[in-house]
Amino acid sequence: MSTQTTTSGERAALLAMARDLARHELLARSVDLDRGDREAIAECWRSLVGVGLDRALLGERHGGVELSVRDLLAALEELAVGDGGIAMCVLLCNTALATLTDEQLSEIPWGARWALVPATSGTEVTVSDGALDGRIECALGALGAHGLVVILDGPEPAAFAIDAGAAGSRLERDVTQMGLRAAPAALIELADIDCPCPAGRAPALDGSDCSNGMMSAANARALLRAGTAAIANGIARRAHEMALEYAHARQQGGVAIIEHDAVSDMLSAMAVRLACRPEVGAGRFGSDMTADPLGLAIDQKYALAVKIAATDAAVATTTDAVQVFGGTGYMVETGVEKLMRDAKYCQLFPEPNWVAHDELMRSERAGLRSGEPEQ
Amino acid sequence: MTPLARKQRPLSEDFPRLIDGGNALDVRELERLRARARRFAEEHVSPRAMEIDRRTDEDPSWFDWDLVRAGAEHGMLSFLIPKPAGGGGGLSTEAAVVMEELCAACPGIALIFGAHALGISPLLLGGPSQWDGVLSELVCSERTTRPLLMACAITEPEAGTDVEDPDLLARARITSHARRVPGGFRLSGAKRFISNGSVARWITLLMPTDPRDPAHTWTCFLVDASSEGFSVNRVEHKMGQRAAHAAELALDEVFVPDERVVSREGDGAAATMIVLACSRPPVGAIATGIARGAYERLLVWLEEDRAAKGLLERQHVQLVLASMEEEIHLARQAYMDAATELDYRALGGAMRHPAVRALGHVPAGIRKRRSVRGLLASDRMRDTTISILHRTTSESAVTRSVALSSMAKARGGDVAMRVTGAALEIVGLRGVRIRAELEKLWRDAKLCQIYEGTNQLNRLEVYRGLCRRETIACLPPLLAHRSAVPPPDAGVGGSREKILAGENGGPR
């Protein structure tokens, strides 16, 4: 991992590339991507690899483009305008790779897609004598990935890297996956998987953790939340764009439907939610560059808060967008109902929002107990 | 899907108005109908719901006729048909009770039977003239291995919500046209999003006889889907409720004889309002059933699944469950209130009118004689039916009924979305089976905010009927009054004009 950060010019160029990719490639393939079509996903992945978004956080020696977390989040939002599932693949891959050691990274072939898999310690996955056992349902992006990094929650978060096809692991497609289908989900079964060397560090990132270029499991989870918020923002932007365009074109009772308060009220509510959305790409991530030159120190509480706010807003906006379209919006070919499904999955990943609220309150309570209420 | 195990309270306890407005016999019949619907849902609908959803996602034109046959065996195709025609003689209340039961199991499958009932509804307004034609044919077919389905076609490619409102209809972009020819009409144009449109044998279809004046020439026709010139353009790929097809229909000079004009030429806008007053409480019930289905599945999962261990102890979960129970209860009260208002107050008098009851006692064999049939299908008999309607109800009563129906529909749709969304959030991405079932119900729920008029349009109906206490011109005019200028307060056309002009806070 590099200590360099992108300049504003590089950042603008990257965002332009992500925007271009979303508009011209992802949107054009959205039907195939929503079907979870392997070929379409592979082709989009090749394009993302071409611009370095598969290992955006890594340094040059690992073939990365040395983005900060902030820049990655901004790029994710742009990609999600094109397809939330593909943006999720980018997030999962970057987070997974960021938890690996230099040695592990050096063995990963160029262009390989990895996926981070959050799991509940004890109920879903157990660790005993360095061996993993368990069953994880609906692991987004896991199907077809070259490798997985399983991160466990709990008081001492930990991450474990597993090669796809490792002895004792079994992946089965989750055929019921409703949203973010371009990040194909799998049912993962782990039986006595030998993981002598955890990929990430526990419990939290500090200066010493950064020294060998690894991201801790706790920070990986926070990045997952912030990234999901960025993706939700992108999905909501696309829904608003589509609804606005349709409301101008469609007529009811002799006038464009945007002229009806019943419709314009919904469009206005969407615009308000978008204007007030948490700008995760410019938020409190790596803001203290002296203490955290990599920009990887993520404010855990802020990540939870933006994830909850952005995904709730995205569900409301996409649901309203379908309503603006009426019966037309309920039809798959319009592409707007897909946004509603994708947004709903953002609300449920990496944990449902009520669980995220719970975690937020745990840290609030912890702050009160230590006598240092957080800002 | 998960068997629905919860015991239900007797209808008479939950809805005292059923006793006040009807009689104990009605309630017992309603209980029996509900039990039959529940049995059908448990034995046939629940076990097939997920598989049908998957298959119709892969191929939207796939249709499960076996399920229709099973439904026919349980009387799900005839409960709305008048008793003299051999049916169950139900109205909006019966349709609503059946819909809640079926939708708790699968809203898509329920919609097949709901859309069939919607197709029948305009024929009920035709009175005795309709008993011995298609309605008795439907009853007969229910006892065979090839039951017939019905559909109702109103929406057009360029006109959706506005064809469900008499005032917006005047400015709607109607592209269909029924042209008068000797002996009947030639119908041309397209109809869109027609539930059961691709599988129905008979379709009650609304179209103007003068496209320049759709509001006053909107007419209901009974179209035989095997007619020359009738075709199905395509079956839509929907987000949910997939078991029931939504089809785009094309009509190219389809001939409809005079005797298959339902009611009279130009009465279609009024008929649409009454039909929507009848069909919106069942849509509220569809939504309530969806919410109940999600709630019951969530409860079973929380109580029995290992992955949910400890969740029921959490106050957050308890509060969410309590809120679901509350919302479902209120949504059910709203649809039953609307349905009983319509059946017992707004339209009950017409349905129980002595003349109608007397005709019902005439044996079908006599009614089917050519001379009697000719009399029943005559313009005079149609006018008599409308006259009975005028004597037994009023436009203000029907307007209030429409508003209550709209309230039940809009409220139900919102409740279905909230409850299914909240249930899904409690479960999260855990549990493949429960998640898949809840996701399906969540996708299904969204349609309840859209069909039978969007929730926004329905709330405007609530404003007109209850907040503003307007009276909509929603009864077909008596023949003698047809050329008369409508009284100033007879309709909301004027006020809607104001709304469209930017007054009253409506569309600018």
Side-chain angles (χ1 to χ4, degrees):
Chain A
M1 206 140 335
S2 163
T3 55
Q4 293 177 25
T5 52
T6 41
T7 64
S8 59
E10 286 167 336
R11 177 186 157 90
L14 177 97
L15 290 183
M17 272 195 289
R19 199 173 297 131
D20 195 54
L21 203 66
R23 300 277 170 189
H24 296 110
E25 191 154 351
L26 303 188
L27 278 180
R29 293 174 183 274
S30 64
V31 173
D32 291 336
L33 291 173
D34 189 38
R35 278 207 304 260
D37 182 273
R38 282 184 180 192
E39 193 50 43
I41 295 169
E43 282 181 28
C44 290
W45 189 252
R46 279 194 285 276
S47 300
L48 290 160
V49 170
V51 294
L53 280 170
D54 59 325
R55 40 183 75 198
L57 293 175
L58 302 182
E60 268 181 39
R61 67 197 163 106
H62 293 305
V65 291
E66 306 170 5
L67 285 189
S68 69
V69 166
R70 248 190 276 186
D71 295 335
L72 174 64
L73 294 174
L76 285 173
E77 182 175 322
E78 293 304 327
L79 289 175
V81 172
D83 186 87
I86 288 292
M88 183 55 80
C89 285
V90 173
L91 170 64
L92 294 168
C93 185
N94 276 285
T95 319
L97 296 183
T99 63
L100 298 180
T101 62
D102 284 353
E103 194 184 352
Q104 287 168 322
L105 285 170
S106 64
E107 289 171 11
I108 294 177
W110 183 83
R113 181 168 72 79
W114 275 58
L116 193 83
V117 179
T120 312
S121 182
T123 51
E124 284 180 311
V125 174
T126 54
V127 187
S128 166
D129 297 330
L132 295 182
D133 282 282
R135 176 187 159 94
I136 307 164
E137 287 170 348
C138 200
L140 291 181
L143 196 82
H146 293 82
L148 307 174
V149 173
V150 177
I151 53 166
L152 301 183
D153 63 356
E156 290 199 356
F160 299 88
I162 302 167
D163 277 328
S169 70
R170 198 166 74 87
L171 270 73
E172 195 182 306
R173 180 167 201 148
D174 182 344
V175 291
T176 64
Q177 182 182 4
M178 178 182 75
L180 301 173
R181 283 174 170 169
L187 168 70
I188 304 174
E189 290 195 11
L190 305 170
D192 204 21
I193 300 269
D194 188 24
C195 284
C197 183
R201 290 271 180 99
L205 186 77
D206 56 29
S208 62
D209 274 336
C210 293
S211 61
N212 65 357
M214 293 192 300
M215 179 183 262
S216 74
N219 266 328
R221 199 174 268 269
L223 178 55
L224 220 45
R225 290 177 181 130
T228 304
I231 292 169
N233 281 345
I235 293 169
R237 271 173 51 196
R238 177 65 186 150
H240 182 242
E241 271 174 23
M242 289 181 78
L244 207 55
E245 199 177 312
Y246 183 78
H248 273 292
R250 175 74 176 180
Q251 294 221 333
Q252 291 278 9
V255 293
I257 60 171
I258 199 167
E259 298 301 323
H260 293 260
D261 285 351
V263 172
S264 66
D265 284 356
M266 283 190 281
L267 290 166
S268 166
M270 287 182 208
V272 169
R273 279 186 225 111
L274 279 175
C276 300
R277 73 187 187 278
E279 291 279 1
V280 287
R284 288 150 57 180
F285 301 102
S287 51
D288 184 352
M289 301 305 286
T290 320
D292 175 27
L294 302 183
L296 292 176
I298 297 171
D299 182 331
Q300 307 278 338
K301 211 163 74 179
Y302 184 71
L304 281 163
V306 294
K307 190 263 171 179
I308 293 167
T311 57
D312 281 353
V315 168
T317 294
T318 51
T319 308
D320 276 355
V322 172
Q323 192 69 15
V324 168
F325 274 77
T328 307
Y330 199 69
M331 305 305 151
V332 171
E333 68 174 9
T334 319
V336 67
E337 60 83 40
K338 168 188 180 290
L339 301 174
M340 195 175 143
R341 290 185 278 112
D342 286 352
K344 191 69 189 169
Y345 258 47
C346 289
Q347 209 179 34
L348 305 178
F349 183 81
E351 66 277 288
N353 278 359
W354 77 275
V355 177
H357 273 290
D358 239 24
E359 199 153 321
L360 192 75
M361 281 313 297
R362 261 202 299 277
S363 67
E364 292 272 313
R365 282 194 290 267
L368 284 175
R369 273 198 298 274
S370 68
E372 294 171 7
E374 293 183 34
Q375 295 303 304
Chain B
M1 286 188 133
T2 315
L4 310 173
R6 300 194 94 206
K7 192 168 181 286
Q8 285 178 311
R9 282 161 57 85
L11 286 163
S12 53
E13 282 181 23
D14 276 345
F15 309 107
R17 187 193 261 198
L18 286 176
I19 302 294
D20 296 343
N23 55 54
L25 184 67
D26 285 340
V27 180
R28 278 204 299 276
E29 276 191 24
L30 201 56
E31 289 281 13
R32 276 199 291 272
L33 178 64
R34 182 169 72 157
R36 203 150 28 109
R38 192 177 174 86
R39 203 164 50 246
F40 171 56
E42 285 176 354
E43 290 172 7
H44 298 277
V45 179
S46 288
R48 300 191 211 186
M50 294 306 291
E51 175 60 13
I52 291 177
D53 185 64
R54 188 190 63 76
R55 290 192 73 162
T56 45
D57 187 27
E58 288 169 2
D59 174 12
S61 65
W62 189 82
F63 189 76
D64 192 344
W65 276 105
D66 285 341
L67 202 61
V68 178
R69 278 186 276 274
E73 284 167 17
H74 287 75
M76 294 295 108
L77 296 175
S78 62
F79 63 85
L80 206 62
I81 293 175
K83 285 184 178 174
L91 279 171
S92 192
T93 311
E94 282 79 0
V97 165
V98 167
M99 281 300 115
E100 184 185 323
E101 290 307 317
L102 301 189
C103 287
C106 175
I109 294 171
L111 182 60
I112 298 172
F113 300 96
H116 173 77
L118 181 66
I120 290 172
S121 299
L123 300 183
L124 303 183
L125 293 173
S129 65
Q130 298 293 335
W131 291 350
D132 299 310
V134 168
L135 290 178
S136 61
E137 189 184 333
L138 292 173
V139 174
C140 292
S141 81
E142 199 179 40
R143 296 174 195 136
T144 70
T145 53
R146 301 187 66 182
L148 300 179
L149 284 175
M150 285 212 62
C152 181
I154 305 178
T155 303
E156 301 204 353
E158 293 299 319
T161 293
D162 39 14
V163 291
E164 296 185 355
D165 181 287
D167 304 313
L168 291 177
L169 179 61
R171 294 163 180 230
R173 284 184 175 182
I174 304 295
T175 51
S176 63
H177 177 208
R179 185 168 53 86
R180 162 67 74 190
V181 293
F185 292 85
R186 290 267 175 201
L187 276 55
S188 295
K191 291 285 172 183
R192 202 174 180 202
F193 305 149
I194 307 306
S195 297
N196 282 359
S198 55
V199 288
R201 169 61 196 273
W202 294 99
I203 300 171
T204 41
L205 187 146
L206 287 116
M207 220 179 241
T209 53
D210 180 357
R212 293 162 303 178
D213 185 14
H216 295 104
T217 64
W218 201 236
T219 304
C220 185
F221 301 93
L222 180 59
V223 176
D224 183 344
S226 64
S227 303
E228 195 179 331
F230 179 93
S231 59
V232 176
N233 267 356
R234 62 173 176 171
V235 176
E236 305 279 0
H237 187 181
K238 294 189 286 182
M239 180 189 193
Q241 301 201 18
R242 291 180 187 137
H245 287 182
E248 183 171 304
L249 310 178
L251 294 98
D252 182 14
E253 294 282 297
V254 173
F255 179 70
V256 178
D258 280 329
E259 60 267 24
R260 292 212 181 117
V261 174
V262 181
S263 200
R264 300 174 313 198
E265 184 184 346
D267 286 349
T272 303
M273 289 307 288
I274 297 178
V275 165
L276 291 175
C278 287
S279 65
R280 282 174 181 163
V283 173
I286 286 174
T288 308
I290 293 173
R292 193 187 105 195
Y295 171 65
E296 290 179 347
R297 281 169 180 81
L298 178 65
L299 268 183
V300 171
W301 182 75
L302 287 166
E303 284 165 358
E304 295 176 4
D305 200 298
R306 214 160 50 94
K309 196 178 168 192
L311 286 182
L312 264 178
E313 313 307 318
R314 295 293 312 275
Q315 269 187 8
H316 172 85
V317 176
Q318 293 167 5
L319 290 170
V320 170
L321 289 171
S323 167
M324 288 177 176
E325 179 82 48
E326 180 185 315
E327 296 233 57
I328 292 165
H329 175 79
L330 293 174
R332 185 179 293 125
Q333 292 292 335
Y335 84 66
M336 280 302 269
D337 196 36
T340 49
E341 172 82 14
L342 183 82
D343 292 353
Y344 293 111
R345 294 195 178 156
L347 290 186
M351 297 302 167
R352 287 190 290 273
H353 191 273
V356 178
R357 290 168 79 138
L359 267 173
H361 290 301
V362 176
I366 295 175
R367 288 200 316 265
K368 283 180 181 170
R369 284 181 190 163
R370 182 183 280 191
S371 57
V372 182
R373 276 187 78 170
L375 178 70
L376 288 174
S378 67
D379 282 347
R380 193 173 161 193
M381 183 54 83
R382 292 177 191 191
D383 290 342
T384 305
T385 304
I386 290 162
S387 170
I388 288 174
L389 207 55
H390 276 267
R391 266 182 273 149
T392 52
T393 189
S394 65
E395 290 189 327
S396 64
V398 178
T399 302
R400 179 179 157 76
S401 193
V402 168
L404 285 172
S405 299
S406 296
M407 186 191 283
K409 186 267 175 194
R411 177 73 184 172
D414 289 351
V415 166
M417 278 305 288
R418 276 201 294 273
V419 170
T420 53
L424 200 45
E425 209 182 323
I426 295 288
V427 171
L429 295 179
R430 283 173 292 191
V432 173
R433 182 175 159 170
I434 176 75
R435 174 171 50 82
E437 291 184 0
L438 291 176
E439 282 174 0
K440 176 184 174 301
L441 289 171
W442 180 76
R443 287 187 280 108
D444 292 340
K446 182 62 198 151
L447 192 53
C448 296
Q449 293 181 319
I450 298 170
Y451 60 13
E452 298 296 291
T454 61
N455 274 9
Q456 287 71 22
L457 177 87
N458 275 277
R459 291 204 160 99
L460 289 173
E461 302 288 2
V462 174
Y463 166 74
R464 294 158 70 183
L466 298 180
C467 308
R468 210 175 147 87
R469 300 197 177 190
E470 287 178 355
T471 300
I472 306 172
C474 50
L475 291 181
L478 291 168
L479 209 56
H481 297 167
R482 296 205 88 178
S483 56
V485 178
D489 63 343
V492 291
S495 59
R496 179 52 67 95
E497 294 298 315
K498 284 181 203 163
I499 290 172
L500 287 169
E503 297 174 39
N504 303 329
R508 293 177 298 280

